[in-house]
Amino acid sequence: MTDALLPAAPQPLEKEGDCYFRKGCNPLAQTGRSKLQNQRAALNQQILKAVRMRTGAENLLKAATNQKVREQVRLELSFVNSDLQMLKEELEGLNISVGVYQSTEEAFTIPLIPLGLKETKDVDFSVVLKDFILEHYSEDSYLYEDEIADLMDLRQACRTPSRDEAGVELLMSYFIQLGFVESRFFPPTRQMGLLFTWYDSLTGVPVSQQNLLLEKASILFNIGALYTQIGTRCDRQTQAGLESAVDAFQRAAGVLNHLKETFTHTPSYDMSPAMLSVLVKMMLAQAQENVFEKICLPGIRNEFFMLVKVAQEAAKVGEVYRQLHAAMSQAPVKENIPYSWASLACVKSHHYGALAHYFVATLLIDHQLKPGADEDHQEKCLSQLYDHMPEGLTPLATLKNGHQRRLLGKSHLRRAIAHHEESVREASLCKKLRHIDVLQEVLSAAHQRSRLKYAQHQEDDELLNLMDAPDIISKTEQEVEIILPQFSKVTATDFFQKLGPLSVFSANKKWTPPRSIHFTVEEGDLGFTLRGNSPVQVHFLDPYCSAALAGAKEGDYIVSIRDVDCKWLTVSEVMKLLKGKGKDDVEMKVVSLLDFTSSMHNKCATYSVGMQKTYSMICLAIDDDDKTDKTKKISKKLSFLSWGTNKNRQKSASTLCLPSVGVARPQVKKKLPSPFSLLNSDSSLY
């Protein structure tokens, strides 16, 4: 689905004019999102200033005793509160952004609501990651400069994703890469000194944390927001465009729901569980609206069964928007949800409710039951259209009696007109919605159509025959649902895979520095066997063999042989390297795991099958030593972080140096005959 991210080389770049950028990233395009964020940032600074002034005035009011001073402070405080309210209303007006992300095609359709992407500050990974590579992995950090630069480039590209599937894949690849980075460099018991700052997409308030949880959650939010922008940009005048819009909003709901269930304690309010629940409802409501538009796109035939279907579809859309508006009106979401969003949800609930009543009125007034018509089918459809028929009416009698049909139809028209008037009124109360011309045109046209049809069938004695139109049962042929994010379809390779397999070489485990082991192989006898698979471990070590006397220990991981990196090699490949020089001396580097729990578990699982009690006793015996090792702390001076973008890939100098490990080659004694011999590749597999 996307190109693999190679560990030691940047992702293929595309040429756009005279500049180069990653696939899925378009930093040259001046999007409406960036303009809105700049305006939000400026308003946020003014709001913070006004809040500080109000706090100071309130403190002065509490401390002042002079009556004139208190009156002056109260006057100033009223001005500050007024300014603060105006700034908040202006900020709220920016958050709807319906005109910025809509399709450029001229369309007579109600606008949809997209989400703006969260903005962030630059982060310099170079110093912290290089120091950690030296300290924790005991490797030369300068060998990983390109990988660190690729990680920073990928993060920078994710700040300006393109509004298409390539942009989504770019964000997903960075999210997957963050999982690798977290496992490699972020131990759960230690802060790394990296500060990640993200701005709330609704309020513009910055939030900072020193772990990757905020980074990962914000990227997930941006994936969902990007899906909403893709959905609003689809051409809703074609079947393919509407299907794409439905799919995009369902995927947006899936990502936001995944964010709500996975990251439950994010400090940013736009990612709180209450807000995310409302956003998921909003995405599903917009997807259901697109389903209705897809059914109506070929045209609505003035035919009985078609009108029943369209009326119930419209009632379904009105119902989901009514539920959405109720959710938006509940605390604590009500305080922070944009007023224009809640207003638009209310407008749509009334608008689609009015359409449902209009279509039912049309099928009742325009379609007389004729001889030879499918009487049973029409009766069944009409009975399933309501929870209950109006008092004194039955489905079959209503179908056969033209006068009753017209009366019931006109009652539906009256309800349709009432809903239309309410939708127009709600739209006029919101300043932002009043300036959306296409919304005003759609609402006005629908209202006039219902009024015209009612006027055509109005009679003088109508007031004497009033009846209340029953509610219409909502029904849809395509129930929208959440589509979970499919990260498995995005290929992303760990940038830092040269450090070794992640199952062993991670931030959660500690090892000794690499030790050089010089030993000789006599008559094909290594003195040990091998086990495991990437990386390979020393196993069944003869205590009197040359390797053991040189410092090898059972359970050591072999990281290199004759300067050949072995961390990703299998047992058979390591055996070939050990047999390569025959009886010559062998030089290999090994590391020992300091956390003995995992290695002991492997041994017990191998040798004590079915002996859980023995395994527990061994673990208890080493528990004290284990705790002692875990409580040892390594003091490390935190490096100064540079927040500027490292565009030229200039790497900061590390504050640590490589530890010098020198192991003198011991004098090899003549060893006793040993049963351990050099095994072939097949027999050495354990």
Side-chain angles (χ1 to χ4, degrees):
M1 193 171 181
T2 185
D3 296 331
L5 298 178
L6 301 178
Q11 189 176 351
L13 305 179
E14 294 183 349
K15 187 172 183 179
E16 181 93 0
D18 296 329
C19 299
Y20 294 85
F21 51 88
R22 284 182 178 269
K23 181 180 179 181
C25 169
N26 189 3
L28 302 180
Q30 188 177 13
T31 63
R33 176 183 60 82
S34 60
K35 295 179 182 178
L36 290 173
Q37 177 55 31
N38 290 335
Q39 297 177 37
R40 275 200 296 261
L43 283 174
N44 183 58
Q45 293 298 323
Q46 298 179 46
I47 290 174
L48 292 178
K49 181 180 178 180
V51 168
R52 287 194 294 266
M53 293 177 63
R54 184 178 65 178
T55 303
E58 290 173 346
N59 293 336
L60 181 58
L61 185 62
K62 293 177 182 178
T65 57
N66 187 289
Q67 189 63 26
K68 290 185 177 181
V69 173
R70 291 176 62 87
E71 291 178 359
Q72 184 67 26
V73 172
R74 286 194 184 97
L75 180 60
E76 294 294 335
L77 190 59
S78 65
F79 285 126
V80 171
N81 285 329
S82 177
D83 292 340
L84 186 60
Q85 183 64 28
M86 292 178 63
L87 289 172
K88 287 185 176 181
E89 290 178 358
E90 188 175 354
L91 179 63
E92 179 273 328
L94 294 177
N95 287 327
I96 187 169
S97 313
V98 294
V100 176
Y101 303 104
Q102 305 302 312
S103 173
T104 56
E105 300 292 334
E106 293 293 334
F108 193 67
T109 53
I110 298 181
L112 301 171
I113 301 177
L115 295 178
L117 271 67
K118 294 171 69 69
E119 292 289 342
T120 183
K121 288 184 177 180
D122 294 331
V123 176
D124 186 1
F125 288 98
S126 59
V127 175
V128 174
L129 296 192
K130 286 165 68 176
D131 286 351
F132 194 81
I133 290 172
L134 284 169
E135 174 197 337
H136 188 77
Y137 294 100
S138 300
E139 292 199 26
D140 187 355
S141 60
Y142 287 96
L143 298 177
Y144 293 87
E145 288 184 344
D146 289 341
E147 286 78 0
I148 295 174
D150 289 340
L151 177 64
M152 295 174 64
D153 288 346
L154 179 58
R155 186 183 191 273
Q156 185 67 20
C158 288
R159 299 179 66 176
T160 54
S162 57
R163 292 188 203 136
D164 51 25
E165 193 62 31
V168 173
E169 292 175 3
L170 177 69
L171 293 176
M172 284 189 172
S173 65
Y174 180 58
F175 180 79
I176 297 172
Q177 196 64 232
L178 286 176
F180 295 136
V181 172
E182 185 176 28
S183 299
R184 295 283 191 190
F185 303 107
F186 286 81
T189 58
R190 170 182 168 186
Q191 296 289 347
M192 294 301 296
L194 280 174
L195 190 67
F196 299 95
T197 301
W198 287 84
Y199 292 89
D200 192 296
S201 66
L202 300 179
T203 65
V205 176
V207 176
S208 300
Q209 277 191 350
Q210 289 194 30
N211 55 51
L212 280 179
L213 293 181
L214 178 62
E215 182 88 352
K216 294 169 71 176
S218 299
I219 292 297
L220 268 183
F221 183 92
N222 279 359
I223 293 174
L226 193 59
Y227 270 127
T228 68
Q229 296 178 18
I230 293 173
T232 54
R233 287 178 65 85
C234 291
D235 185 3
R236 293 156 65 190
Q237 300 303 304
T238 64
Q239 286 285 343
L242 286 169
E243 290 175 359
S244 299
V246 172
D247 180 76
F249 284 116
Q250 289 182 123
R251 292 185 184 277
V255 173
L256 296 175
N257 188 69
H258 178 71
L259 173 59
K260 182 188 70 173
E261 295 178 350
T262 308
F263 299 89
T264 56
H265 300 290
T266 51
S268 184
Y269 188 79
D270 57 355
M271 296 188 292
S272 64
M275 180 61 73
L276 289 174
S277 297
V278 171
L279 294 180
V280 170
K281 289 180 181 293
M282 186 169 72
M283 298 309 127
L284 292 179
Q286 295 187 134
Q288 195 68 58
E289 182 180 4
N290 293 145
V291 170
F292 172 77
E293 292 176 342
K294 186 173 65 172
I295 294 174
C296 298
L297 184 63
I300 303 174
R301 300 188 307 275
N302 195 358
E303 186 266 333
F304 186 89
F305 300 111
M306 180 66 182
L307 291 172
V308 170
K309 174 183 177 181
V310 174
Q312 291 188 312
E313 288 283 353
K316 178 66 176 180
V317 180
E319 179 185 18
V320 294
Y321 272 112
R322 185 166 57 253
Q323 295 172 354
L324 173 62
H325 180 258
M328 288 179 170
S329 303
Q330 300 295 323
V333 176
K334 182 180 179 181
E335 302 299 326
N336 291 277
I337 201 78
Y339 175 69
S340 49
W341 289 10
S343 297
L344 187 59
C346 184
V347 167
K348 289 188 176 184
S349 68
H350 286 293
H351 173 70
Y352 286 103
L355 291 183
H357 285 286
Y358 173 79
F359 291 132
V360 172
T362 302
L363 71 89
L364 288 171
I365 294 175
D366 294 353
H367 295 279
Q368 184 75 25
L369 186 62
K370 299 177 181 179
D374 193 345
E375 180 179 309
D376 293 338
H377 193 186
Q378 288 194 16
E379 179 186 5
K380 182 179 179 181
C381 285
L382 188 61
S383 63
Q384 293 178 351
L385 194 60
Y386 307 123
D387 280 331
H388 61 277
M389 292 290 293
E391 185 177 356
L393 299 182
T394 61
L396 184 58
T398 303
L399 289 173
K400 291 183 177 180
N401 190 322
H403 180 65
Q404 289 184 353
R405 288 166 62 99
R406 284 191 297 274
L407 289 179
L408 184 58
K410 285 189 290 186
S411 68
H412 279 288
L413 282 176
R414 285 194 295 270
R415 287 198 64 177
I417 293 172
H419 278 297
H420 282 309
E421 291 174 348
E422 187 63 22
S423 66
V424 173
R425 187 185 71 84
E426 285 289 339
S428 66
L429 292 177
C430 179
K431 178 180 178 181
K432 189 70 177 179
L433 298 184
R434 285 201 302 267
H435 292 86
I436 302 178
D437 295 335
V438 65
L439 175 63
Q440 298 295 332
E441 293 174 3
V442 171
L443 298 180
S444 177
H447 187 201
Q448 292 299 323
R449 182 178 58 183
S450 296
R451 288 173 59 88
L452 179 61
K453 192 168 189 65
Y454 184 79
Q456 291 174 352
H457 299 277
Q458 191 173 10
E459 298 176 359
D460 295 336
D461 60 345
E462 182 179 339
L463 295 177
L464 303 177
N465 299 299
L466 292 179
M467 69 171 64
D468 293 330
D471 293 331
I472 301 170
I473 297 177
S474 62
K475 186 179 179 181
T476 179
E477 67 176 17
Q478 181 181 346
E479 190 78 35
V480 296
E481 57 186 12
I482 289 173
I483 298 180
L484 296 177
Q486 299 176 335
F487 296 106
S488 59
K489 291 188 176 181
V490 179
T491 303
T493 305
D494 182 8
F495 281 163
F496 300 92
Q497 69 173 2
K498 290 193 302 184
L499 291 172
L502 191 57
S503 59
V504 175
F505 297 97
S506 67
N508 296 330
K509 297 183 179 180
K510 297 181 180 179
W511 316 267
T512 60
R515 309 190 310 276
S516 294
I517 307 297
H518 296 267
F519 65 97
T520 58
V521 179
E522 297 182 2
E523 299 179 359
D525 184 5
L526 282 175
F528 59 87
T529 59
L530 303 177
R531 61 177 271 178
N533 192 25
S534 301
V536 173
Q537 284 182 284
V538 175
H539 190 49
F540 282 135
L541 178 66
D542 181 1
Y544 300 104
C545 71
S546 174
L549 296 176
K553 300 177 183 178
E554 188 169 332
D556 282 348
Y557 289 98
I558 301 176
V559 295
S560 69
I561 298 175
R562 298 187 180 95
D563 296 327
V564 177
D565 193 324
C566 299
K567 291 191 288 290
W568 285 96
L569 299 185
T570 62
V571 170
S572 59
E573 292 170 335
V574 171
M575 272 297 183
K576 290 180 181 179
L577 289 176
L578 291 173
K579 295 189 301 182
K581 296 293 183 179
K583 295 183 179 181
D584 293 346
D585 291 347
V586 176
E587 178 186 2
M588 70 177 181
K589 290 185 179 181
V590 298
V591 294
S592 299
L593 192 65
L594 293 180
D595 184 5
F596 294 99
T597 304
S598 59
S599 59
M600 182 60 69
H601 174 75
N602 289 336
K603 289 184 179 181
C604 295
T606 303
Y607 294 108
S608 303
V609 177
M611 299 176 64
Q612 293 84 356
K613 183 176 180 181
T614 305
Y615 170 65
S616 301
M617 293 174 65
I618 295 175
C619 290
L620 288 174
I622 67 170
D623 189 58
D624 292 337
D625 293 336
D626 216 9
K627 291 180 179 178
T628 303
D629 290 336
K630 290 181 179 179
T631 55
K632 291 180 181 179
K633 296 181 179 179
I634 300 175
S635 61
K636 171 177 158 322
K637 183 178 179 181
L638 294 179
S639 303
F640 178 76
L641 297 181
S642 172
W643 298 105
T645 304
N646 195 353
K647 296 182 179 179
N648 297 324
R649 296 188 177 181
Q650 294 178 350
K651 310 303 183 296
S652 303
S654 174
T655 59
L656 300 178
C657 58
L658 280 171
S660 57
V661 181
V663 180
R665 180 179 177 182
Q667 187 175 1
V668 181
K669 299 180 181 180
K670 184 176 180 181
K671 61 186 181 66
L672 299 175
S674 171
F676 299 92
S677 59
L678 187 62
L679 304 177
N680 58 34
S681 300
D682 296 331
S683 60
S684 62
L685 294 175
Y686 187 77

